Amino acid sequence: MPILVLLLIAGVAELAVLVALGQAIGLLPTIGLLVLAAVLGSWLLRREGRRTLGEFREAARLRRPADREISDGMLIAAGGLLIVLPGFLSDIAGLLLLLPPTRALVRKRMMRAAEKRAKQMQDQVWLHQQRFNRAGGRPGDFIDGEVVDETDDAPNSGSTPIILPPQSVRAERLDEPPQR
């Protein structure tokens, strides 16, 4: 579904909830609830952000992968963004992302989806490698080339640049043809 349609639906839903709540409890209590949600959200954002940053520093200090801390940081940032947007539905979604138990559920689901996508990509790479091998290609085939910068504002020193052979290939004499 295009993102524009989703944003339009979300905007209409937010407006409908605001109008319905405003009619049910009045204008001032509705505005008060919006301000309360923003204050609570900013407090939770600051607290959870500091806690996650501390956990990230600890993971870096112990030299262990910080995938959980990074994904938590992304979810906290998304929750903060949702709280900043006006409306109750986005505030509720943002507050849920800022609470550790619900964030853990979203993180697990997000990691499972990422692992599934990575497995699909790995399978596609393997399939393309097999097709390449069947078509007669050899692993390690490469094209040797040279990058030339032809910009007008580059100073022309009049000398040719020194081109060094790749480190993994043994150097061959320039006057002999390359051997295969």
Side-chain angles (χ1 to χ4, degrees):
M1 191 179 261
I3 189 92
L4 189 60
V5 174
L6 287 174
L7 288 174
L8 183 65
I9 291 171
V12 168
E14 289 282 8
L15 192 59
V17 169
L18 277 174
V19 168
L21 194 62
Q23 288 177 348
I25 64 173
L27 178 65
L28 290 178
T30 302
I31 293 173
L33 281 175
L34 283 172
V35 170
L36 179 68
V39 169
L40 177 65
S42 65
W43 176 77
L44 268 175
L45 177 64
R46 183 177 298 128
R47 187 187 83 175
E48 293 301 314
R50 283 184 183 159
R51 190 172 66 95
T52 301
L53 184 60
E55 290 173 0
F56 179 76
R57 286 180 182 156
E58 184 67 18
R61 189 180 69 76
L62 296 175
R63 297 179 189 238
R64 69 171 172 81
D67 53 347
R68 184 177 127 334
E69 290 82 5
I70 291 172
S71 60
D72 269 359
M74 288 182 356
L75 291 173
I76 289 169
L81 179 67
L82 287 171
I83 286 176
V84 168
L85 295 175
F88 286 110
L89 298 178
S90 63
D91 285 350
I92 290 170
L95 287 173
L96 288 176
L97 283 178
L98 291 177
L99 297 174
T102 55
R103 190 172 59 241
L105 292 173
V106 172
R107 181 182 58 242
K108 285 179 187 176
R109 187 174 180 121
M110 188 173 72
M111 295 299 267
R112 264 186 275 146
E115 288 171 359
K116 182 179 176 183
R117 180 69 179 143
K119 177 69 174 139
Q120 290 173 346
M121 293 294 290
Q122 186 179 17
D123 292 344
Q124 286 179 353
V125 168
W126 181 84
L127 181 64
H128 288 298
Q129 184 67 37
Q130 295 303 314
R131 287 181 185 161
F132 176 76
N133 290 340
R134 276 191 233 123
R138 297 177 305 196
D141 281 351
F142 63 91
I143 299 173
D144 194 16
E146 176 183 343
V147 176
V148 179
D149 187 13
E150 294 284 335
T151 58
D152 292 335
D153 56 341
N156 189 0
S157 64
S159 64
T160 26
I162 298 172
I163 301 173
L164 299 174
Q167 301 251 338
S168 62
V169 179
R170 67 177 176 84
E172 298 175 308
R173 292 181 50 148
L174 295 175
D175 55 346
E176 295 178 0
Q179 297 181 6
R180 290 263 174 193

